[in-house]
Amino acid sequence: MKFFADCHLGKVAKYLRIFGFDTLYFQTIEDDEIINIANKENRIVLTSDKELYLRIKKKALYIYHGKFEEQLRAIFKHFDLYKEIKPFSICIECNGKLEKVPKNEVIDNIELKTQIFHDNFERCTKCGKIYWKGDHFKRMKAFVDSFLEK
């Protein structure tokens, strides 16, 4: 399942990616372009824009304004995504796939403390961003675990 989150749902898009769902998101984009890309790539549009939703409601889900966790839960419930998750498999910045990479391939691109304390790395195949299981990962993992327990 592939999504396209409108410009009002940036945090939702980020967390859908954290859960492993292919989710396009742009801070600025015209509605017509969202519709064209969604149709071309067979994506479901997630939107809190009533006008956009009414134009494409067969391939969209209207997301009510509110806390992002409630919005995310509504999406999970509507599409029954709980069985489909693959956490931490997609770049949260660009939506690219993550692949394991040897430390020696990324050592010149990471800070000294990271070099010292971490040995396992992943890199985005699209933008090249490097990931490791530091404090930021631990906070995201705690959110994922808590979200799935409820």
Side-chain angles (χ1 to χ4, degrees), residues 57-74:
K57 58 184 170 182
K58 288 183 181 177
K59 288 190 169 188
L61 178 65
Y62 182 77
I63 306 297
Y64 292 92
H65 294 280
K67 295 180 181 178
F68 94 94
E69 187 173 345
E70 293 168 359
Q71 294 171 323
L72 196 60
R73 202 162 292 288

Side-chain angles (χ1 to χ4, degrees), residues 81-141:
L81 298 180
Y82 292 96
K83 296 176 255 174
E84 307 292 326
I85 67 165
K86 296 176 190 157
F88 310 106
S89 60
I90 292 178
C91 179
I92 60 175
E93 298 294 324
C94 79
N95 204 46
K97 300 289 183 200
L98 299 182
E99 67 179 6
K100 292 184 184 209
V101 61
K103 184 176 184 175
N104 66 328
E105 284 188 26
V106 297
I107 200 155
D108 293 336
N109 298 310
I110 54 177
E111 294 182 18
L112 182 59
K113 281 177 81 172
T114 306
Q115 293 175 23
I116 293 169
F117 294 109
H118 298 280
D119 293 316
N120 299 309
F121 297 90
E122 291 181 301
R123 181 172 45 205
C124 175
T125 58
K126 189 173 177 183
C127 74
K129 182 175 173 80
I130 301 164
Y131 292 89
W132 60 93
K133 293 181 179 169
D135 290 338
H136 187 70
F137 171 83
K138 291 173 186 170
R139 285 189 297 276
M140 289 187 300
K141 174 105 171 67

